[in-house]
Amino acid sequence: QVQLVESGGGLVQAGGSLRLSCAASGRIFSSYFMGWFRQAPGKEREFVARISWSGDFTAYADSVKGRFTISRDNAKSTVYLQMNSLKPEDTAVYYCAARQSVMHAYGYWGQGTQVTVSS
């Protein structure tokens, strides 16, 4: 089992920045692939970013590429999402998720943290 707790959401003006954190507990965090997803009101949940267990490989949705950065600190069992140049359309509940490998679905999810970007 892996338990995930997100933090760092809030209200920010367009153009501003936020850093989300996702603290993990339970099984060996360093062996899990991690991802960030978001869900805006009335929309389906969508992929934002992912990172390999080592941190060597990352991938981003086109809508956030160049503005968001995913990273992890395995010693702290934490994954981060640095969000810069925020836009109103980034407003959503952000979730972190964990999976055992790229061959597995994301089986563990946090409760989400709200990010609201005002224009």
Side-chain angles (χ1 to χ4, degrees), residues 18 41 50 64 67 80 99 109 115:
L18 281 175
R50 64 174 179 261
V64 307
R67 299 188 298 122
Y80 304 97
R99 58 179 177 176
W109 295 83
V115 171

Side-chain angles (χ1 to χ4, degrees), residues 24-118:
S25 60
R27 290 194 172 185
I28 302 174
F29 170 80
S30 59
S31 66
Y32 278 72
F33 291 71
M34 302 297 296
W36 285 97
F37 294 77
R38 67 186 181 186
Q39 187 167 21
K43 295 187 176 181
E44 293 187 354
R45 186 164 55 193
E46 64 176 2
F47 164 76
V48 175
R50 64 174 179 261
I51 189 167
S52 62
W53 66 270
S54 64
D56 289 343
F57 298 100
T58 59
Y60 299 90
D62 287 344
S63 58
V64 307
K65 202 172 293 184
R67 299 188 298 122
F68 291 10
T69 302
I70 188 171
S71 62
R72 67 191 295 163
D73 184 338
N74 286 341
K76 296 182 178 180
S77 298
T78 302
V79 62
Y80 304 97
L81 186 68
Q82 177 66 43
M83 306 185 295
N84 298 328
S85 303
L86 283 162
K87 305 175 181 180
E89 51 264 44
D90 294 318
T91 295
V93 177
Y94 284 71
Y95 300 90
C96 71
R99 58 179 177 176
Q100 292 177 284
S101 75
V102 295
M103 301 301 293
H104 289 77
Y106 285 96
Y108 303 98
W109 295 83
Q111 83 290 348
T113 185
Q114 176 70 47
V115 171
T116 303
V117 184
S118 63

